[in-house]
Amino acid sequence: MGKRVVITGLGLVSPVGCEVETAWKRLVEGQSGVTTLTDPERSVFRSKIAGLSREFSPSGIIEPKDVKKIDLFAQFALVAGVQAVKDSGVDFGRENPFRVASIIGCGVGGLGEIERQSDKLLLRGPKHISPFTIPKIMPNAGASHLAIYFGIHGPSYSVSTACASANNAMIDAYKMIRDGEIDVALTGGTEAAVSRLGLVGFGAMHALSERNDEPEKASRPFDADRDGFVIGEGSGVLVFEELEHALKRNAHIWGEFTGYGVTTDASHITQPDSEGVYAGAAMEASLRSAKLNPEQIDYVNAHGTATPLGDVAEANAIKRAFGDFAKSVSISSTKSATGHLLGGSGGIELIFSLLAMRDGVIPPTLNLENPDPQCDLDFTPLVAREKKIDTILSSSFGFGGHNACVVASRFVN
């Protein structure tokens, strides 16, 4: 039997706030982080809205002279990681640096920097390209900058499975600690793709909401009037730790990571399997891994992006995995407030799920005013609900057919 893995630190940068308790309070209150894009470069496309992390500042963590050397997605990861380490109280100066890991999911990396340097190349020529271009755009930069900041010499890498990236990264961190390879990991996800290419690329696929006149109502998971997802930005980073290691230093424990399930649709590069067969199989695998029956899950943080195909597929997946209990389990999509953070979404959503467990509150699915008849489950519409929560399941599904589900439970020694 492997070692037990607990979560001892939380940190985030998000459209609903750049500090954990602030973001959680706003989420429960039903506040939206989706706003209108006003700058001329990004407000010319069909979708003119996004979940922006407007309160973000790297001040005090990244030196002003270094800000231009680090892309925004890596800055997000670094700031969220520093928050998580502070919350955890772990002192890396006292740790064996070879037994600490930095594993951060990221879907696309420095998309904005690619645009900026491409513009320079085309308009001004190769002599004007920044020497920081490659270090800024590489998706592993978030994990690497965290390793540099904290002096981590164990495994450090990025996982890139589109919108499942953060969950896959956390699963890797869990397995390394469970198997005794490391003691502590910084893990989660990050993304900063609210850029021209991100907006026009997803827009060309007709994947983005165009409800531009009502930005706060644009992200509508499981609603019959949904018209696509709202792109968001931010990072969620957590400290995972081997149980005995955490107990020895009397760490506060947010919860225990107890299971995971990973599958692949292998049917289409962007469209999910409409019947939810393989997403449902990932949920079932996560329950088996955690040694839980469906009726023992108190809350499901749904992937819930508000795409016409994806939401129906997910509802079908939940029905497959939960069977007769599907209509009884409490579910919500926090993307209704944050927008879709792509590769960064899973980390933030596990953080929100742990806070839901702490406070006994199911966060609401905003804008669920006219439920899709095909999504006939309890998605906690509009208003948060009190409920005792001991176990949660958080799902992430990505382009490429990637399905990754994680389970966490209230810690009991």
Side-chain angles (χ1 to χ4, degrees):
M1 184 175 178
K3 296 179 181 294
R4 293 171 68 182
V5 180
V6 294
I7 300 160
T8 59
L10 311 178
L12 62 72
V13 171
S14 85
V16 290
C18 294
E19 187 274 331
V20 168
E21 297 296 347
T22 299
W24 173 242
K25 181 175 183 290
R26 291 171 178 169
L27 182 71
V28 171
E29 290 175 349
Q31 297 186 40
S32 171
V34 178
T35 189
T36 301
L37 296 167
T38 57
D39 57 289
E41 283 195 342
R42 297 185 297 180
S43 60
V44 296
F45 305 114
R46 290 202 301 258
S47 181
K48 305 177 190 300
I49 51 179
L52 298 177
S53 294
R54 289 172 288 178
E55 297 171 7
F56 173 73
S57 170
S59 178
I61 295 172
I62 305 173
E63 293 291 333
K65 64 182 178 61
D66 292 328
V67 169
K68 69 177 183 179
K69 303 176 185 177
I70 305 175
D71 190 84
L72 191 59
F73 83 94
Q75 292 184 38
F76 287 163
L78 190 49
V79 170
V82 169
Q83 284 184 33
V85 170
K86 182 178 180 181
D87 178 49
S88 173
V90 65
D91 181 357
F92 289 123
R94 295 176 177 269
E95 297 295 327
N96 179 343
F98 294 98
R99 293 189 60 82
V100 180
S102 173
I103 306 173
I104 303 295
C106 183
V108 296
L111 202 58
E113 185 66 12
I114 291 172
E115 293 173 8
R116 286 185 288 273
Q117 298 305 320
S118 295
D119 287 346
K120 286 184 180 180
L121 179 61
L122 292 172
L123 299 174
R124 302 176 66 187
K127 291 183 179 179
H128 293 276
I129 296 299
S130 167
F132 305 119
T133 300
I134 299 303
K136 288 181 74 172
I137 69 175
M138 57 191 194
N140 61 301
S144 297
H145 279 293
L146 279 168
I148 292 167
Y149 189 92
F150 289 110
I152 294 169
H153 294 293
S156 173
Y157 59 90
S158 172
V159 176
S160 187
T161 49
C163 306
S165 297
N167 271 12
N168 280 127
M170 294 187 294
I171 290 166
D172 278 9
Y174 163 74
K175 290 192 288 186
M176 284 186 182
I177 298 173
R178 179 199 64 188
D179 295 345
E181 298 175 36
I182 59 173
D183 301 316
V184 183
L186 297 182
T187 188
T190 191
E191 204 80 88
V194 186
S195 64
R196 289 175 294 157
L197 194 56
L199 288 161
V200 75
F202 284 114
M205 298 170 64
H206 301 285
L208 296 180
S209 172
E210 297 178 22
R211 194 184 286 262
N212 298 315
D213 294 335
E214 297 179 295
E216 293 183 354
K217 292 185 173 293
S219 185
R220 310 180 67 84
F222 308 108
D223 190 85
D225 299 319
R226 66 190 184 279
D227 69 330
F229 74 83
V230 175
I231 192 169
E233 63 180 15
S235 177
V237 176
L238 305 89
V239 176
F240 281 20
E241 195 166 347
E242 191 273 324
L243 173 59
E244 294 304 322
H245 186 278
L247 292 177
K248 283 180 182 177
R249 62 182 193 85
N250 198 31
H252 169 72
I253 295 174
W254 287 97
E256 181 174 0
F257 193 108
T258 49
Y260 68 92
V262 178
T263 64
T264 305
D265 284 2
S267 59
H268 192 279
I269 196 63
T270 57
Q271 293 180 12
D273 169 66
S274 62
E275 298 301 315
V277 174
Y278 309 103
M283 294 181 191
E284 291 171 356
S286 71
L287 293 174
R288 288 195 302 272
S289 174
K291 297 180 174 57
L292 294 172
N293 296 318
E295 61 270 20
Q296 292 175 285
I297 295 293
D298 299 311
Y299 170 53
V300 174
N301 188 301
H303 184 59
T305 61
T307 59
L309 295 177
D311 285 7
V312 173
E314 184 168 12
N316 288 336
I318 294 170
K319 292 173 185 178
R320 286 179 174 275
F322 284 79
D324 293 340
F325 186 66
K327 293 198 174 184
S328 302
V329 67
S330 296
I331 313 163
S332 71
S333 171
T334 52
K335 288 185 181 73
S336 60
T338 64
H340 188 3
L341 277 60
L342 309 178
S345 59
I348 284 179
E349 287 159 15
L350 181 56
I351 289 171
F352 287 152
S353 299
L354 291 166
L355 292 165
M357 187 159 56
R358 180 195 68 180
D359 290 350
V361 175
I362 306 292
T365 301
L366 303 187
N367 307 315
L368 183 48
E369 299 167 332
N370 180 24
D372 185 334
Q374 296 182 84
C375 302
D376 54 344
L377 302 175
D378 180 8
F379 290 108
T380 318
L382 306 178
V383 179
R385 181 188 309 149
E386 291 187 0
K387 179 181 180 179
K388 188 177 189 300
I389 302 170
D390 291 319
T391 57
I392 67 92
L393 186 153
S394 183
S395 298
S396 290
F397 311 123
F399 283 176
H402 304 294
N403 307 310
C405 301
V406 301
V407 175
S409 303
R410 185 181 299 278
F411 171 68
V412 179
N413 197 2

